[in-house]
Amino acid sequence: MTAAEKSSSKMHQTSSKILRMTDDDRPFTRDFKDLFATLVTSLPLTAHRVRFQKVEETFLSEEAITNLGSLKFSQSNRIPDPNNPSRWVVTTTTTTFSMAKEMARQVCQRFVDARFIESAEGKNHTSFPTKGALWQLTPKGISILKQFCDGNGIEARHIEPLLRKHQMQIVVLERDLETDKLMQDKTTLEVVFRRMCGADGPNLKASTAQSDSDSVSEYASGLVGVKMARDRRVYDKIVPYTFTGKAASDWLLDCCTMVDRREAYELCELFVKWQLMAPVVEDRNFTRQFPAATHFQPTKYAIYAVTEKGQRVCGWLARPPSTDSDESLEANKEKKKMPKDTNMNRFTMIVSDSALRMLFREHLRASLCEENLNFWLDVRQFMSQYRTQEKLGRLNKPEVVKECLATSYGLYNSFLAAGAPSELNIDHSLRNRLDARMTQTETDEASLRGGLENVVELIELASMSVAKLMASDSVPKFLRDPKYQSIIREHQLDTNLAQRALSPAPSPGPNDKPSLSRSSTNRVGKP
């Protein structure tokens, strides 16, 4: 150990986390996923015997409930002191959760309902008791855990075997930052519907018995669509591409980031409303029990088929000439008015449209630079909360200022500090200013408030820098990707560029920045 490594100072930010709830009594999706992943990293995932077999990476009900009673997550980053390079400064942000035993059990039950965990003793065991039951992570739960560990630089030996199993390409549903409501515009729903019906074509089964099976193990990759019967006899007709209401809602809950089954039902109702799928067999018992549920029945006895319109949306049939409604035509006229002559304007349009943003995220993930968009969105959410507190005049309260500072330290430690788990490529002078600011310590209230204002300014500058990077490098590649051409044409984002989809990248104009190499958009120091 060198002398520089021996000499260090510490800064610590602490915040208590409140699990935010929506107006329909559902936990905010991001908070809920973070709580789940934090819990899993604290559990002693070990092997347990179930009857005559040993099941690896499992935990008991009482272990989860006990750990949720007093849960802490600390994130530390070590950087050279800008004022004294021979010293190190360690910044640590600690988030704490605490809850009563019954509340902890209810939260664990929500983990089961969200398909994060499942019984290791049998898939039909869906209630979470206070003790004795054995649990394991689902493919969806492993995917969420991996995203959390990658984003926070967590390396724990006891979860490494789980992360090596990660295969699922989970569908990240776009949400309103303030309400956490799902984006439900027509184009976004069509993107989700295409994924539900299969990224590589329909998941056809030779018999109706196979398609109606409750087994969801084949969905582990997230790329296989809902189980469908190739042909199903309904009275005197043969109907192709049919599936049960239960299979559709199960797929959405198992393969998407939603955490409440009600949202799966809500999306299926909209699929029916938008005529992407249609009922062919009614479950009369469900109708008698829930007479108000007119659009969708989530049972294994209710049968649905992909409509001709749905097949066109999935790309199984060629699309006819546009027959948009007056409302859609007006929306397209408004989009045409928007300036689209620069990559930054195109970026603004992409991130402002939930369907395009969902596809852009998939493109960035394939290019190994999804963290750029994650940071930009996180900063946008942070700035929205900061401006709200400022507008309400609450920034004169030290506890609110400290909470905002703790959030800013979380962003810094995750994305901006040297060696951060999702380190972004930003200007060297801006990074130095951030490092210098984050290593300062304020004691009085006035200094705290001034420090927060300075931090907010620097983080905004970093966000703008990352946005410019995505606009100059990732946006042109996204617009030229053949996979997304149909959506790009529908949005009339950039017709000329879309037509050059299979052509070499155009030479930069006098006002365009040169295209950066892929490594420049990745995390620094990683290929």
Side-chain angles (χ1 to χ4, degrees), residues 198-493:
D200 299 319
N203 180 18
L204 298 176
K205 300 299 176 184
S207 67
T208 56
Q210 287 177 306
S211 66
D212 296 345
S213 168
D214 286 339
S215 173
V216 295
S217 58
E218 63 186 279
Y219 297 157
S221 70
L223 298 176
V224 178
V226 62
K227 296 185 293 294
M228 295 184 185
R230 183 181 300 276
D231 294 299
R232 186 188 300 263
R233 178 172 290 280
V234 179
Y235 305 118
D236 59 339
K237 294 182 179 180
I238 300 296
V239 182
Y241 304 130
T242 59
F243 49 89
T244 68
K246 183 178 185 302
S249 58
D250 280 351
W251 187 94
L252 288 169
L253 194 62
D254 280 317
C255 300
C256 301
T257 52
M258 62 180 61
V259 299
D260 193 306
R261 188 171 286 273
R262 290 174 295 175
E263 289 190 325
Y265 300 162
E266 188 177 342
L267 285 187
C268 287
E269 286 178 352
L270 291 170
F271 293 156
V272 174
K273 180 181 177 182
W274 286 104
Q275 300 177 342
L276 300 175
M277 67 187 209
V280 294
V281 175
E282 178 186 6
D283 183 348
R284 296 181 179 178
N285 289 332
F286 184 87
T287 302
R288 284 193 293 269
Q289 189 175 358
F290 303 100
T294 57
H295 287 101
F296 178 70
Q297 299 177 330
T299 72
K300 62 166 53 178
Y301 304 107
I303 308 299
Y304 294 84
V306 181
T307 64
E308 182 177 330
K309 178 181 178 181
Q311 293 179 45
R312 296 188 190 281
V313 165
C314 292
W316 305 345
L317 297 174
R319 287 186 180 240
S322 176
T323 56
D324 289 341
S325 64
D326 292 340
E327 182 180 348
S328 299
L329 289 173
E330 285 299 318
N332 285 335
K333 287 179 181 178
E334 289 299 316
K335 287 180 180 178
K336 287 180 181 179
K337 295 178 184 178
M338 298 183 68
K340 297 171 283 187
D341 56 340
T342 69
N343 284 327
M344 182 53 73
N345 286 332
R346 296 178 190 115
F347 170 76
T348 300
M349 290 186 68
I350 289 169
V351 296
S352 299
D353 185 287
S354 58
L356 289 173
R357 190 167 63 244
M358 183 184 299
L359 296 177
F360 188 53
R361 180 188 293 278
E362 291 185 1
H363 171 77
L364 292 175
R365 186 184 303 157
S367 303
L368 305 179
C369 53
E370 185 183 3
E371 64 274 9
N372 290 326
L373 182 61
N374 289 339
F375 172 70
W376 189 87
L377 292 172
D378 285 353
V379 172
R380 188 172 72 163
Q381 183 175 23
F382 168 67
M383 291 305 304
S384 174
Q385 294 168 349
Y386 173 79
R387 298 302 180 201
T388 299
Q389 299 286 24
E390 186 178 45
K391 186 177 180 180
L392 296 174
R394 298 190 62 199
L395 290 179
N396 57 358
K397 298 181 179 180
E399 62 272 18
V400 175
V401 173
K402 289 179 181 178
E403 187 71 27
C404 290
L405 277 172
T407 303
S408 67
Y409 267 87
L411 290 168
Y412 172 75
N413 287 334
S414 294
F415 298 101
L416 303 173
S422 297
E423 185 181 350
L424 303 179
N425 187 13
I426 62 174
D427 181 74
H428 181 69
S429 62
L430 177 57
R431 189 185 301 279
N432 286 341
R433 290 172 63 191
L434 276 161
D435 291 345
R437 175 64 259 179
M438 290 302 190
T439 55
Q440 293 182 18
T441 304
E442 292 87 4
T443 54
D444 59 282
E445 294 181 11
S447 297
L448 277 174
R449 176 69 184 272
L452 175 60
E453 291 174 352
N454 194 208
V455 166
V456 167
E457 179 186 357
L458 292 172
I459 285 180
E460 271 196 301
L461 288 174
S463 178
M464 291 171 58
S465 174
V466 171
K468 290 177 181 177
L469 182 63
M470 286 189 285
S472 64
D473 183 68
S474 299
V475 166
K477 293 175 182 176
F478 171 68
L479 295 179
R480 291 195 299 270
D481 194 321
K483 291 189 297 184
Y484 309 118
Q485 290 309 299
S486 61
I487 297 292
I488 290 170
R489 281 193 295 269
E490 288 174 10
H491 283 67
Q492 300 177 338
L493 184 60

